[in-house]
Amino acid sequence: MSLRDLSVLYLIAGLACAVAVYRASPEGRRRAALSAALCVPLWPIWAPVALTAGRGEGGGRPSGAAGDAAARVQGALREGVSACAGTSFEALLSREAASRIEAEVARAAARHAELDALLRQSGFDEGAAAARVAEIERGGAGGRSLATAHLHLENIRRLRAMRDRDARALEELADLVQALRTQLVLARFAGSSVEGVGGIVSEVWARVEGLGAAIDAHGGAGTEGPIAT
């Protein structure tokens, strides 16, 4: 086989890898296109790296607002740990503590994603459940049929309230952890006291413990008590 034939085969392989990298990329179109373009001349090296990174970023993190909030927490924690490493603040936010916080946030984000997916199913449509209640009431039926329809609607509303509460809690925690990160950076370079940082750390832990307690109390993605059927 000639050098020209080998070059053609190399180019074809590079183009095929570029297409695979572009389709698998969880990033925006521009970055995905750049990654794919880089793959054409360097596919033996770049393709395995890009494809592995794509699976790692997209496969283990819930999508949507909760997933974004979890990513914000993770990024801010890592920057905060780096900022206080080797300083008097290190005991306030160690790597072990950051890992514990990340684990609780991941659990909360996973529960939110599970509830969100559940509520997107046709059997959990609040509008349809409310319409069914109204239909039974208009027809003059009562008794068990109406009670069951009301129970179904109430269950859906409770599930929606849990999902929305989780989302708000994660967003608020993400904002707080980002504030902690900037406080740690400021303390490192401005020589601020530990007291100013300690208050934010305490509030972060209080919110994290609240997330964990809510999940444990309801059995993961469960509800606020048994739902009758």
Side-chain angles (χ1 to χ4, degrees):
M1 184 177 290
S2 66
L3 180 60
R4 180 179 178 181
D5 293 334
L6 289 173
S7 299
V8 171
L9 289 175
Y10 187 93
L11 178 60
I12 292 173
L15 291 172
C17 289
V19 172
V21 167
Y22 183 82
R23 291 180 176 177
S25 177
E27 302 171 334
R29 291 185 177 180
R30 183 176 180 181
R31 294 189 65 181
L34 290 173
S35 182
L38 185 62
C39 194
V40 175
L42 300 175
W43 66 264
I45 300 173
W46 184 248
V49 173
L51 291 172
T52 302
R55 287 193 297 269
E57 292 175 9
R61 181 183 298 160
S63 60
D68 292 342
R72 287 169 56 203
V73 170
Q74 184 183 61
L77 281 173
R78 292 180 179 177
E79 292 174 12
V81 168
S82 297
C84 64
T87 71
S88 58
F89 306 109
E90 189 169 7
L92 293 175
L93 187 64
S94 64
R95 294 188 184 277
E96 292 76 14
S99 296
R100 287 176 56 195
I101 294 172
E102 285 186 31
E104 290 297 336
V105 168
R107 284 210 304 158
R111 183 174 88 151
H112 177 274
E114 187 176 351
L115 284 169
D116 191 56
L118 185 71
L119 290 166
R120 292 178 186 276
Q121 298 178 16
S122 59
F124 292 85
D125 185 275
E126 183 179 358
R132 178 56 180 163
V133 170
E135 179 185 356
I136 294 174
E137 291 176 340
R138 285 195 304 269
R144 186 166 181 80
S145 295
L146 183 59
T148 300
H150 272 295
L151 179 60
H152 178 55
L153 176 59
E154 181 61 23
N155 286 341
I156 292 173
R157 286 174 173 169
R158 289 170 65 188
L159 288 168
R160 289 176 64 90
M162 290 176 63
R163 180 199 62 183
D164 296 343
R165 185 170 60 248
D166 284 350
R168 288 194 300 271
L170 285 167
E171 287 287 344
E172 291 170 1
L173 178 60
D175 291 340
L176 186 61
V177 173
Q178 287 185 316
L180 172 61
R181 181 264 317 276
T182 56
Q183 185 76 9
L184 287 168
V185 172
L186 177 63
R188 180 184 182 94
F189 290 100
S192 303
S193 65
V194 177
E195 295 179 359
V197 180
I200 302 181
V201 172
S202 297
E203 187 172 353
V204 167
W205 276 115
R207 289 178 181 268
V208 169
E209 289 171 1
L211 281 176
I215 295 173
D216 293 338
H218 303 137
T223 60
E224 299 174 353
I227 294 181
T229 57

